[in-house]
Amino acid sequence: MAGRNPGTKLVALLSSGWPAGVSLCPELGWISKVYVNRPEVVRHAEQIKKWSTVKGNWQAAWLLKAVTCIDLTTLSGDDTPSSIHRLCFKAKHPIREDLLKALDMHDKGITVGAVCVYPARVTDAVNALKVAGCNIPVASVAAGFPSGQTLLEVKLAEIKLAVQYGAREIDIVISRALVLTGQWEGLYEEIRQCREACGEARMKTILSTGELGSLANVYKASMIAMMAGSDFIKTSTGKEVENATFPVGVVMMRAIKEFYWQTGCKVGFKPAGGIRTAKEAVTWLMLVKEELGVEWLTPELFRLGASSLLEDIEKQIFYHVTGSYPLQHDLAMA
């Protein structure tokens, strides 16, 4: 695992100059100076969409890398112990064994990055993975997911219970109102307390970027979340109208790079919501490689939040191996 982010004091950073107009100074006034050149970010995002997809064995390699970075997720009201058990089995065996053998990858221990569930289902997931004999971490959403409209005391209690039940990763969600009303000290303190409640569990902070109003607010919230000790920053809950987008991804990754330059601490990135195809997954991997470097292309620093993505990845690997797409009964449901 990557080292934990210890966080910094709220006013401790000094900027080296991205985005244009950012000037972090010893007073919190740096927040008001943040500027993001939206047209340039959008233009860059349009170029990303046009990137050519890798082919052949290179495509298969990228797809298997994507599999190892998936947080295989179920956040449904009808989740049951049996459905969680099936999900955990798929987490341990994400790709059919004969397909992995054809790629000479059957002995590489390929699993997903984590299994993500509601707090009430953490114990089911922990027990299922224990029976399966694997060490895949269980992640739990918490802190008033997905709206964040919950009292802080309740958020902290939910986090502590999820950790007590065995969650090794906690995906918290911020109170969007704190961003929209410019309460940056309040946002920092809320995230800091959540980080403390996580204990040894790694904390992913969901910014719900589609509800923050602007790319400048996305950058500000990203920086505040990292300063407060977040181990990952995550785009979305998957429940918003707008989820993971490339413009948002670029801004968040530039914030991660800035934080790393200033502190030497690597914070992870997790796009989530609306990522359903193998091509999209590979494009996100390529974007991370371009913006942050190959050292971020590990489950310790990059995750894909998805519930249906794995199905399409396995279909593409099936096609690569056999030359035809699978029939409905050829692959187990993700």
Side-chain angles (χ1 to χ4, degrees), residues 28-322:
L28 194 55
W30 67 265
I31 282 282
S32 65
K33 298 181 175 66
V34 168
Y35 169 75
V36 174
N37 189 334
R38 181 179 178 85
E40 283 300 307
V41 172
V42 172
R43 182 186 63 80
H44 183 40
E46 289 302 316
Q47 292 175 338
I48 293 167
K49 294 177 183 178
K50 298 176 183 178
W51 284 352
S52 299
T53 303
V54 289
K55 302 294 184 181
N57 288 336
W58 286 105
Q59 182 188 44
W62 279 94
L63 290 177
L64 290 178
K65 169 61 73 173
V67 168
T68 67
C69 295
I70 289 176
D71 280 1
L72 192 58
T73 302
T74 180
L75 298 171
S76 301
D78 59 354
D79 288 337
T80 64
S82 61
S83 66
I84 298 299
H85 181 84
R86 290 194 300 272
L87 187 80
C88 290
F89 181 86
K90 188 62 178 176
K92 185 182 179 182
H93 305 282
I95 305 296
R96 241 174 53 176
E97 186 73 9
D98 61 318
L99 300 178
L100 291 177
K101 285 182 178 178
L103 297 170
D104 196 25
M105 295 295 289
H106 58 287
D107 57 350
K108 305 303 183 201
I110 291 176
T111 69
V112 301
V115 170
C116 185
V117 296
Y118 276 118
R121 301 268 73 92
V122 168
T123 301
D124 296 329
V126 169
N127 291 340
L129 291 169
K130 184 177 180 180
V131 170
C134 61
N135 195 38
I136 301 171
V138 174
S140 175
V141 295
F145 180 94
S147 70
Q149 297 283 10
T150 305
L151 295 173
L152 180 57
E153 294 84 355
V154 178
K155 293 182 179 183
L156 299 178
E158 186 177 40
I159 291 169
K160 291 176 181 177
L161 284 172
V163 173
Q164 179 182 321
Y165 295 155
R168 290 158 53 190
E169 300 177 3
I170 300 293
D171 289 33
I172 71 162
V173 58
I174 67 169
S175 299
R176 279 71 112 189
L178 295 175
V179 175
L180 296 172
T181 57
Q183 298 182 63
W184 304 110
E185 296 96 333
L187 179 64
Y188 174 88
E189 183 59 22
E190 176 180 90
I191 298 173
R192 187 196 65 78
Q193 289 191 45
C194 289
R195 168 69 163 79
E196 186 176 303
C198 285
E200 295 301 314
R202 302 179 81 205
M203 187 176 78
K204 309 189 197 92
T205 298
I206 307 171
L207 303 182
S208 297
T209 55
E211 298 178 349
L212 297 188
S214 70
L215 290 178
N217 276 347
V218 170
Y219 184 87
K220 295 173 187 180
S222 297
M223 292 299 294
I224 295 293
M226 291 185 289
M227 294 166 78
S230 302
D231 297 300
F232 271 75
I233 51 175
K234 175 179 171 182
T235 60
S236 325
T237 65
K239 308 294 186 180
E240 298 92 346
V241 174
E242 181 180 281
N243 294 292
T245 66
F246 292 129
V248 159
V250 169
V251 170
M252 291 175 69
M253 281 186 260
R254 296 288 174 92
I256 289 172
K257 185 185 297 183
E258 177 70 26
F259 189 78
Y260 174 62
W261 284 342
Q262 297 300 327
T263 67
C265 182
K266 294 178 180 177
V267 173
F269 173 66
K270 179 180 175 180
I275 304 173
R276 297 183 176 88
T277 68
K279 182 178 179 180
E280 289 174 313
V282 171
T283 303
W284 276 108
L285 284 165
M286 295 172 70
L287 180 58
V288 169
K289 180 178 181 291
E290 178 181 272
E291 292 289 340
L292 297 173
V294 293
E295 61 266 37
W296 258 265
L297 290 180
T298 68
E300 288 74 30
L301 289 170
F302 177 67
R303 297 287 180 83
L304 288 159
S307 55
S308 58
L309 171 62
L310 182 57
E311 181 179 357
D312 191 59
I313 289 179
E314 193 172 18
K315 284 180 180 178
Q316 299 306 320
I317 292 176
F318 186 100
Y319 180 83
H320 173 74
V321 170
T322 68

